[in-house]
Amino acid sequence: MTYTTEQLIEILEQELRASWKGERVLLSAEERFNDPVLAPLLGSHKIGKVYAYREFREQVHQYQKDHQVSGLVWRTCRFKGQTVRYPELHNQLIALEQDKEILLQSKASVLEFWQQTTPGLKFWFAGHDPQAITPELVEQLAQDAEWAEVDATLTELYLGLCWGNPQECHYQWAMPESGCRRIVAAPNRPSLIKV
């Protein structure tokens, strides 16, 4: 029997808890992390915990590849009485080739949800200093994106327009090969809530 995505997530969570409790330690961690400043500060025990979990997670990733177990989880977003269900890469798993195809296929339903729930709202690039943008720019950015994600607060809707590698798209260092532009729809200037 092959483990499911949900089972792999639970296994990883159990292993992470065990690592942080000190039940899993990699004894050769000092050899792998020999930073002269940070290593003494963190201590070999903490470094061992991190590397023990990291190695275990790499084994889970190999299992995913070997058994073609998806790294996607399904999320539900509700806003203004509307609901959308869409796939998202779990932050501790990897995306298989077919996972990216599923992300691409879900783009239309996420954008349809965005269009149904944002009339009357203003659009902004998300960030520490939100910049107002036009609906036309949002539409252009949406066309350029490979897949879309969405999150909501009570009064704001956040759209992620993503491309490239699903495992790297949320990291600045991955630009321009991978990325995710975040747009906020809000009645006024958006709050600085991190969603």
Side-chain angles (χ1 to χ4, degrees):
M1 177 187 110
T2 303
Y3 290 107
T4 65
T5 303
E6 292 75 20
Q7 289 170 323
L8 291 181
I9 292 167
E10 180 58 32
I11 289 167
L12 283 167
E13 287 175 1
Q14 289 172 2
E15 190 64 22
L16 183 60
R17 283 191 298 272
S19 293
W20 285 111
K21 286 181 184 176
E23 297 169 4
R24 311 281 192 284
V25 177
L26 188 65
L27 298 176
S28 62
E30 286 179 353
E31 298 166 13
R32 296 168 195 224
F33 188 78
N34 57 6
D35 184 290
V37 175
L38 292 178
L41 222 90
L42 295 173
S44 62
H45 189 67
K46 285 183 182 174
I47 294 169
K49 289 178 184 181
V50 171
Y51 276 97
Y53 178 73
R54 187 172 159 189
E55 281 201 2
F56 184 83
R57 188 178 61 193
E58 288 171 3
Q59 291 174 14
V60 169
H61 293 170
Q62 188 59 52
Y63 182 90
Q64 278 186 265
K65 292 175 190 173
D66 294 346
H67 297 280
Q68 293 297 291
V69 179
S70 173
L72 298 179
V73 292
W74 287 84
R75 293 198 53 210
T76 300
C77 181
R78 291 177 182 81
F79 190 69
K80 288 189 171 181
Q82 301 285 328
T83 302
V84 67
R85 190 168 181 266
Y86 67 97
E88 175 181 78
L89 179 64
H90 188 274
N91 65 355
Q92 295 296 314
L93 297 175
I94 60 169
L96 305 176
E97 284 184 36
Q98 61 264 32
D99 288 345
K100 186 164 180 184
E101 285 303 314
I102 294 168
L103 291 171
L104 299 177
Q105 292 168 9
S106 71
K107 176 182 170 183
S109 64
V110 172
L111 292 177
E112 181 181 336
F113 174 78
W114 172 265
Q115 291 165 352
Q116 290 174 350
T117 57
T118 57
L121 298 178
K122 298 173 185 170
F123 302 123
W124 307 78
F125 277 124
H128 294 294
D129 185 23
Q131 300 172 8
I133 57 175
T134 65
E136 294 78 22
L137 180 56
V138 174
E139 181 62 34
Q140 178 60 50
L141 295 171
Q143 288 177 12
D144 294 343
E146 289 184 275
W147 72 93
E149 310 169 338
V150 69
D151 280 306
T153 66
L154 287 177
T155 59
E156 299 174 349
L157 190 63
Y158 292 76
L159 178 66
L161 298 171
C162 309
W163 68 91
N165 182 340
Q167 290 158 221
E168 299 175 350
C169 70
H170 294 285
Y171 298 105
Q172 289 293 331
W173 56 260
M175 294 283 246
E177 291 81 20
S178 299
C180 192
R181 288 188 182 91
R182 302 259 302 158
I183 298 165
V184 185
N188 296 303
R189 186 171 178 81
S191 65
L192 295 178
I193 294 173
K194 186 156 175 113
V195 178

